């Protein structure tokens, strides 16, 4: 077993005879996704800045390691770098789930403030696990997809809802629906085989998976903006030259800025595609939204109970930041 792992490390985290550093990077989502495109640009930038001596080869759509394995393989050093949805690590620490609490931060400004308030804590918990955060980029605000009109949470009762993290599962349970975890690349099959009949995700994932083929209605409820993060194994980072580290950090900074901007643009672009394909895209009724906000309130309560003083401190920091920014705006 040990030998097997060492061989894998030699293969995936290699320094070749010509003094090139080659890093293999698993990512969960497909090539058409804006996160993947952003990461490919990030890798290009690292290669260019190092004159081709530091290469990052991306392996998208879970082709090298599946999404649930990515944090573990980076931590163990089987790969030096990887991308994953931050809230998928909630069973390690509730702090990772902060960006999936419904309606705590439901637009880009709030999501950015929440990220500023929580980043130091996220960096800390990652470093306790031997990982270093490079950057994080949000998905567009999450909406609700179904094959019929939804005007009340009771309309969701009994629906089989595709979930991708704990929060999407909890929302489904709160409205008496039945959650099923399905990875993004498997969404079309899950719908076509009848495993699921509704989902909460972004217009980006809706458009990328051609939602119009399997659902008719989209409601932009803007529940939250979950983030993908790119993390490196700390030892792999430490094994880089000082110059390579700087190249990586500079490229990461730019990737974060570029990614947030791309995410905003992606929202309008992909909603327009779904409309053009004939999906019904309507604002949820005030009554339905009120009910969903009620679910969000329960979930924040529950999260605060789980996350203790650290969680409370981050929420306080977020509220202070948003108040300060509101005042500046006045
Ligand atoms: N797409 C990913 C996560 C959030 C999103 O918008 C998914 O559906 O799996």
């Amino acid at each position: 077993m040990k030998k097997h792992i060492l061989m894998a490390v030699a293969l995936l985290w290699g320094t070749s005879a010509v003094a090139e550093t080659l890093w293999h990077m698993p990512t969960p989502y497909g090539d058409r996704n804006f996160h993947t495109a952003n990461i490919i640009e990030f890798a290009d930038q690292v290669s260019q800045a190092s004159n081709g001596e530091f290469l990052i080869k991306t392996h998208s759509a879970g082709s090298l390691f599946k999404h649930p394995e990515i944090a573990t393989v980076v931590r163990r050093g089987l790969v030096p770098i990887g991308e994953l949805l931050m809230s998928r690590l909630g069973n390690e620490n509730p702090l990772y789930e902060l960006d999936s609490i419904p309606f705590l931060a439901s637009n880009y400004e709030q999501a950015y403030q929440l990220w500023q308030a929580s980043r130091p804590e996220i960096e800390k918990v990652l470093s306790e696990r031997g990982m270093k955060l490079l950057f994080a980029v949000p998905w567009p605000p999450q909406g609700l997809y179904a094959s019929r009109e939804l005007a009340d949470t009771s309309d969701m009762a009994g629906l089989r809802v595709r979930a991708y993290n704990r929060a999407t599962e909890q929302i489904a349970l709160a409205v008496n629906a039945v959650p099923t975890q399905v990875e993004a690349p498997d969404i079309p099959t899950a719908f076509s085989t009848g495993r699921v009949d509704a989902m909460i995700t972004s217009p980006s994932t809706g458009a990328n998976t051609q939602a119009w083929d399997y659902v008719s209605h989209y409601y932009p409820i803007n529940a939250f903006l979950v983030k993908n993060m790119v993390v490196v194994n700390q030892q792999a980072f430490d094994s880089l030259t000082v110059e390579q580290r700087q190249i990586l950090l500079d490229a990461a900074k730019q990737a974060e800025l570029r990614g947030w901007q791309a995410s905003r643009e992606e929202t309008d672009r992909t909603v327009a595609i779904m409309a053009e394909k004939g999906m019904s895209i309507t604002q949820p009724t005030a009554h339905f939204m009120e009910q969903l906000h009620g679910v969000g309130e329960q979930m924040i309560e529950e999260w605060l109970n789980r996350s203790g003083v650290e969680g409370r401190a981050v929420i306080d920091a977020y509220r202070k930041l948003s108040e300060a920014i509101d005042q500046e705006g006045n």
Side-chain angles (χ1 to χ4, degrees):
M1 179 64 188
K2 202 153 185 194
K3 194 167 160 207
H4 176 76
I5 289 176
L6 285 176
M7 276 167 57
V9 171
L11 192 72
L12 295 174
W13 172 4
T15 305
S16 75
V18 286
E20 266 176 7
T21 301
L22 173 61
W23 277 13
H24 289 273
M25 175 173 188
T27 78
Y29 303 97
D31 283 335
R32 271 185 303 169
N33 191 264
F34 77 98
H35 287 286
T36 315
N38 191 37
I39 285 172
I40 290 172
E41 220 176 313
F42 157 77
D44 282 350
Q45 204 172 328
V46 169
S47 157
Q48 275 176 25
S50 64
N51 294 323
E53 288 186 0
F54 181 8
L55 302 173
I56 298 176
K57 179 160 175 35
T58 52
H59 301 265
S60 62
S63 56
L64 184 58
F65 287 104
K66 300 261 172 252
H67 199 173
E69 300 161 347
I70 293 178
T72 311
V73 293
V74 174
R75 183 162 68 224
R76 293 199 184 148
L78 287 182
V79 286
I81 186 168
E83 181 201 23
L84 69 147
L85 190 77
M86 192 182 291
S87 53
R88 295 279 291 244
L89 292 185
N91 53 0
E92 290 189 7
N93 193 313
L95 282 168
Y96 292 118
E97 289 177 333
L98 181 64
D99 66 8
S100 61
I101 297 175
F103 311 112
L104 179 64
S106 50
N107 59 42
Y108 282 96
E109 287 67 34
Q110 292 172 339
Y112 192 69
Q113 289 159 14
L114 189 64
W115 180 219
Q116 300 313 299
S118 55
R119 184 176 195 141
E121 283 301 317
I122 297 287
E123 285 178 342
K124 194 171 132 214
V125 288
L126 281 170
S127 81
E128 285 163 8
R129 295 286 189 147
M131 289 182 281
K132 180 175 175 60
L133 174 88
L134 281 189
F135 60 94
V137 170
W139 289 88
Q142 305 289 294
L144 193 53
Y145 294 75
S147 283
R148 55 172 143 98
E149 207 181 306
L150 302 175
D152 190 290
T153 46
S154 63
D155 295 335
M156 295 180 72
L159 287 179
R160 281 159 301 178
V161 176
R162 178 257 167 174
Y164 62 77
N165 64 3
R166 181 183 153 117
T168 46
E169 212 170 275
Q170 279 183 313
I171 296 172
L173 289 171
V175 298
N176 296 318
V178 186
T180 304
Q181 291 280 343
V182 175
E183 294 299 330
D186 304 328
I187 292 175
T189 312
F191 275 92
S192 68
T193 55
R195 270 184 72 207
V196 294
D197 38 32
M199 66 179 173
I200 297 164
T201 189
S202 58
S204 175
T205 296
N208 279 349
T209 57
Q210 309 197 333
W212 48 90
D213 286 343
Y214 54 84
V215 282
S216 50
H217 290 61
Y218 176 63
Y219 294 97
I221 60 169
N222 299 342
F224 41 76
L225 289 84
V226 279
K227 293 184 295 295
N228 281 1
M229 60 179 177
V230 170
V231 292
V232 281
N233 175 288
Q234 185 67 50
Q235 280 183 342
F237 184 79
D238 294 344
S239 75
L240 296 172
T241 65
V242 174
E243 199 191 359
Q244 285 174 325
R245 282 181 223 167
Q246 201 51 49
I247 288 173
L248 194 69
L249 295 177
D250 288 347
K253 204 168 196 177
Q254 290 186 36
E256 180 154 314
L257 284 172
R258 196 173 55 232
W260 280 72
Q261 186 53 31
S263 180
R264 286 173 186 261
E265 288 162 13
E266 179 81 357
T267 309
D268 296 340
R269 189 184 73 82
T270 51
V271 169
I273 294 175
M274 294 197 293
E276 190 195 293
K277 295 288 181 183
M279 286 182 69
S280 149
I281 300 180
T282 38
Q283 292 304 322
T285 62
H287 165 73
F288 189 33
M289 277 311 277
E290 213 171 284
Q291 290 179 313
L292 292 171
H293 274 272
V295 171
E297 273 153 33
Q298 278 171 28
M299 283 173 61
I300 190 158
E301 247 342 69
E302 189 264 348
W303 184 86
L304 281 168
N305 285 337
R306 275 192 295 135
S307 62
V309 279
E310 281 95 358
R312 170 79 54 188
V314 173
I315 297 267
D316 288 348
Y318 167 56
R319 301 239 194 257
K320 269 205 197 109
L321 207 57
S322 41
E323 276 162 25
I325 288 174
D326 281 353
Q327 272 168 14
E328 252 170 49
N330 286 337

